Amino acid sequence: TDKAEQVELLPPQRQTWLQREVHDFLARYQSLYSRAPTFEEIQRHLGLRSKGSVAYAVDALEAQGVVRRSSRRHFYLPEDR
């Protein structure tokens, strides 16, 4: 079975504040610029002190099936979301 088929998407109320903020910023940014923002851009926009916080939130969103990575450094919101 494909890993993506096994992922249960969490409703927004089950996501952390940071996960919701990162997801919302990704959606707006990707809509405007047709690419995902860098971790640094997310960190700066949300006023976070650490890129590790961004990575943690992106990893969690990826595990939920909300975000996909095209490579180690690049990620995106699937079109069907």
Side-chain angles (χ1 to χ4, degrees), residues 3-80:
K3 181 182 176 187
E5 293 174 332
Q6 297 174 5
V7 173
E8 179 182 341
L9 299 180
L10 293 177
Q13 64 270 24
R14 296 278 314 273
Q15 293 177 343
T16 67
W17 168 86
L18 183 58
Q19 291 167 4
R20 284 191 304 272
E21 291 295 315
V22 168
H23 177 269
D24 291 348
F25 181 66
L26 284 172
R28 288 190 310 271
Y29 193 98
Q30 190 167 304
S31 172
L32 287 172
Y33 301 105
S34 299
R35 70 170 182 86
T38 64
F39 280 18
E40 291 85 4
E41 290 167 328
I42 297 169
Q43 176 188 5
R44 195 169 36 248
H45 176 79
L46 297 179
L48 301 172
R49 292 182 177 213
S50 164
K51 283 185 281 187
S53 297
V54 175
Y56 185 80
V58 170
D59 288 346
L61 291 170
E62 183 180 24
Q64 295 168 24
V66 177
V67 169
R68 293 194 184 137
R69 286 182 203 258
S70 58
S71 72
R72 180 170 161 85
R73 294 179 155 271
H74 299 279
F75 54 95
Y76 62 97
L77 294 172
E79 294 292 325
D80 59 339

